[in-house]
Amino acid sequence: MVKNGYNHVISRFATVFITLMLCIGYMPLSSSAYADEVTVEAVVVWNGSVATGFSDGTGTQADPYLVADGSELAYLVQQVNAGTDYSGKYFKQTADIDLDSLQWTPVGIYVSQSSSGNRAFAGIYDGDGCIISNLFVDQTFSGSNSNNKAFGVFGYVTGTVMNLGLNNADVSVTNTNSASPGNAYAGGMVGYLASTSSNGLFNCFARGEITA
């Protein structure tokens, strides 16, 4: 009887051992097994440089211009402020961008309602759930027809900005012209937005300190 009991215990032990080995066989041996499945991209901190183009895309809805870092966002600034409004063109941000609290020049220029010096962003910028952080703008000027008066990530927008977040913004704008001291527009995401029923600012947030 003892022998049979012993064999019974060995049999149960073998069954449990085999079952345990089968379970372990489906478990990864280390976290490196997931290395090819999950990729977390580090945020590239902007160093003040300007790219020579966007990382990819042709600007269509199916193939938008891709903005991957601060230098490519600065390239958008350069192009818009030189007169390219990108009307009807599509953009998608592909990663979080840290502007490192360096002095930022906004995308677009707003001088006055009818100024020939206005430079609007008229495209569609989709942040795709990404975040821009550490925006810094500190501007003091005496208002005149030649001054830009709208500040934020975007200065002047007649198009659309959507699905984009902004953290730790620090924007301070002062117009010292006593005749029109209020003629200064400061925002987190957009300084001056000319919105209509088909464009504007959608599904965005901004956190920080804004003073004008």
Side-chain angles (χ1 to χ4, degrees), residues 54 64-65 67 76 86 89-92 121 124-126:
F54 304 112
Y65 292 123
V67 179
L76 178 61
Y86 291 105
K89 297 297 184 180
Y90 290 80
F91 295 79
K92 184 168 77 171
F121 173 73
I124 300 92
Y125 191 98
D126 183 357

Side-chain angles (χ1 to χ4, degrees), residues 80-81 83 108-112 114-120 145-148 156:
V80 171
N81 293 4
I109 297 169
Y110 182 81
V111 178
S112 66
S114 57
S115 174
S116 60
N118 290 346
R119 298 289 184 267
N145 288 336
S146 61
N147 287 124
N148 177 37
Y156 183 29

Side-chain angles (χ1 to χ4, degrees), residues 73-124:
L73 189 60
Y75 176 75
L76 178 61
V77 172
Q78 181 187 77
Q79 297 304 298
V80 171
N81 293 4
T84 303
D85 65 9
Y86 291 105
S87 178
K89 297 297 184 180
Y90 290 80
F91 295 79
K92 184 168 77 171
Q93 189 170 316
T94 60
D96 294 339
I97 294 174
D98 184 349
L99 296 178
D100 201 30
S101 297
L102 299 178
Q103 182 70 42
W104 180 251
T105 299
V107 181
I109 297 169
Y110 182 81
V111 178
S112 66
Q113 189 71 30
S114 57
S115 174
S116 60
N118 290 346
R119 298 289 184 267
F121 173 73
I124 300 92

Side-chain angles (χ1 to χ4, degrees), residues 114-203:
S114 57
S115 174
S116 60
N118 290 346
R119 298 289 184 267
F121 173 73
I124 300 92
Y125 191 98
D126 183 357
D128 199 32
C130 292
I131 292 174
I132 295 172
S133 60
N134 298 318
L135 169 71
F136 177 71
V137 176
D138 185 7
Q139 293 288 334
T140 299
F141 59 89
S142 179
S144 70
N145 288 336
S146 61
N147 287 124
N148 177 37
K149 300 177 180 67
F151 299 88
V153 176
F154 292 81
Y156 183 29
V157 173
T158 59
T160 296
V161 178
M162 60 185 182
N163 306 323
L164 184 61
L166 176 63
N167 279 332
N168 196 33
D170 182 2
V171 180
S172 178
V173 181
T174 303
N175 184 350
T176 60
N177 187 341
S178 59
S180 58
N183 194 8
Y185 306 92
M189 197 68 71
V190 180
Y192 193 96
L193 177 65
S195 62
T196 68
S197 60
S198 61
N199 64 5
L201 190 64
F202 303 104
N203 195 32

